[in-house]
């Protein structure tokens, strides 16, 4: 398969997703929308991934490419190709599905537990630890199934159209090097200063094994997601 990846920020790259695609024999192209690259043609790929980013999904005045990207995501939802959104990418998908997107009660930054929803169509552990980097959240779209939630953000992900479209608020694709760059170069999500659910840099980077444990979880999720294409 050939996948298109939409990158919204220099510090929110594909991370381990790129390594996984290469290891599975899939090819991919990353489109750096923040740097002026135009959103791609959906016909040129077999699946689409929208990555995280720091901007508001409605800030089209500051980021004109958002208008074209939202049209691309709408076309992907109307088609039959797998669509995955992470962070901002998930918020874009949720918004196109008519769900409410806005500021959460508290920002979440660092390592937090996610509990799998009983209705989740994905075979994942009943509880797992994921990396969080968000102030905005989304409601569950109509006709979507929840993947799971944390105590602060009850909807950490959703699956729509039998899992073909997948949105993740949390991050299971990150590496230690990528998170270090994020901490060094990007402002923390809005609301972080007032949130009791924001961890210090030292705590986030202390346990390298946390990053390693994400690899089999990502493999499990992506493998199921790419198998969701209708026959």
């Amino acid at each position: 398969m050939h996948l298109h990846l939409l990158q919204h920020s220099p510090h929110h790259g594909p991370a381990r997703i790129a390594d996984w695609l290469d290891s599975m024999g899939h090819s991919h192209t990353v489109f750096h929308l923040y740097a002026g690259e135009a959103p791609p043609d959906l016909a040129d790929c077999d699946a689409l991934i929208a990555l995280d980013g720091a901007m508001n999904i409605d800030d089209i005045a500051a980021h004109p490419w958002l208008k074209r990207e939202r049209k691309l995501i709408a076309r992907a939802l109307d088609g039959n190709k797998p669509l995955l959104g992470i962070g901002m990418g998930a918020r874009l998908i949720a918004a196109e599905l008519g769900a409410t997107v806005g500021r959460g009660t508290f920002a979440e930054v660092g390592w937090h537990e996610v509990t799998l929803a009983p209705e989740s169509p994905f075979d994942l552990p009943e509880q797992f630890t994921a990396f969080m980097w968000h102030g905005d959240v989304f409601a569950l779209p109509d006709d979507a199934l929840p993947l799971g939630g944390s105590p602060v953000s009850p909807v950490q992900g959703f699956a729509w159209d039998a899992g073909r479209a997948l949105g993740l608020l949390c991050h299971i694709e990150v590496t230690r090097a990528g998170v270090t760059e994020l901490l060094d170069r990007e402002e923390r999500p809005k609301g972080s200063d007032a949130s009791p659910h924001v961890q210090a840099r030292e705590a986030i980077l202390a346990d390298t094994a946390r990053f390693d444990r994400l690899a089999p979880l990502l493999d499990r999720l992506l493998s199921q997601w790419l198998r969701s294409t209708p026959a």
Side-chain angles (χ1 to χ4, degrees):
M1 299 180 72
H2 183 74
L3 287 82
H4 284 343
L5 281 67
L6 309 178
Q7 186 168 339
H8 307 108
S9 161
H11 314 307
H12 289 282
R16 193 174 268 120
I17 292 175
D19 296 335
W20 184 88
L21 291 172
D22 292 342
S23 71
M24 299 300 290
H26 302 302
S27 58
H28 68 277
T29 304
V30 179
F31 292 83
H32 302 88
L33 304 185
Y34 65 92
E37 294 184 9
D41 190 334
L42 189 63
D44 296 334
C45 71
D46 301 301
L48 182 68
I49 298 177
L51 301 171
D52 200 3
M55 60 283 298
N56 187 297
I57 63 169
D58 295 317
D59 195 1
I60 294 174
H63 310 285
W65 45 264
L66 271 170
K67 187 174 182 179
R68 292 181 61 186
E69 183 183 9
R70 293 191 67 154
K71 289 181 178 179
L72 177 64
I73 288 174
R75 287 197 297 272
L77 289 169
D78 288 339
N80 63 355
K81 296 179 180 180
L83 172 64
L84 167 64
I86 300 171
M88 176 187 169
R91 296 196 295 274
L92 286 166
I93 296 173
E96 290 303 319
L97 290 173
T100 300
V101 177
R103 186 70 57 84
T105 304
F106 292 108
E108 283 183 296
V109 173
W111 299 96
H112 298 277
E113 290 295 316
V114 176
T115 300
L116 192 69
E119 312 95 308
S120 172
F122 285 84
D123 178 21
L124 298 171
E126 291 186 6
Q127 282 197 319
F128 58 90
T129 302
F131 181 72
M132 310 285 185
W133 186 274
H134 63 262
D136 289 347
V137 296
F138 45 75
L140 184 67
D142 289 342
D143 300 320
L145 294 174
L147 261 66
S150 66
V152 177
S153 303
V155 182
Q156 281 286 341
F158 62 86
W160 183 82
D161 192 19
R164 178 178 68 85
L166 174 63
L168 295 175
L169 186 63
C170 60
H171 296 267
I172 59 173
E173 83 287 359
V174 293
T175 62
R176 192 179 192 280
V179 169
T180 300
E181 181 180 8
L182 200 61
L183 290 166
D184 286 344
R185 302 195 177 186
E186 188 166 294
E187 292 184 9
R188 296 198 178 193
K190 292 179 181 178
S192 293
D193 292 344
S195 175
H197 304 280
V198 172
Q199 296 167 2
R201 174 194 177 94
E202 294 74 17
I204 291 173
L205 299 176
D207 186 359
T208 301
R210 278 178 161 167
F211 295 95
D212 297 335
R213 285 192 288 268
L214 292 178
L217 188 61
L218 181 70
D219 173 77
R220 199 163 161 178
L221 183 69
L222 292 182
S223 296
Q224 294 177 66
W225 168 62
L226 285 183
R227 288 199 299 264
S228 67
T229 310

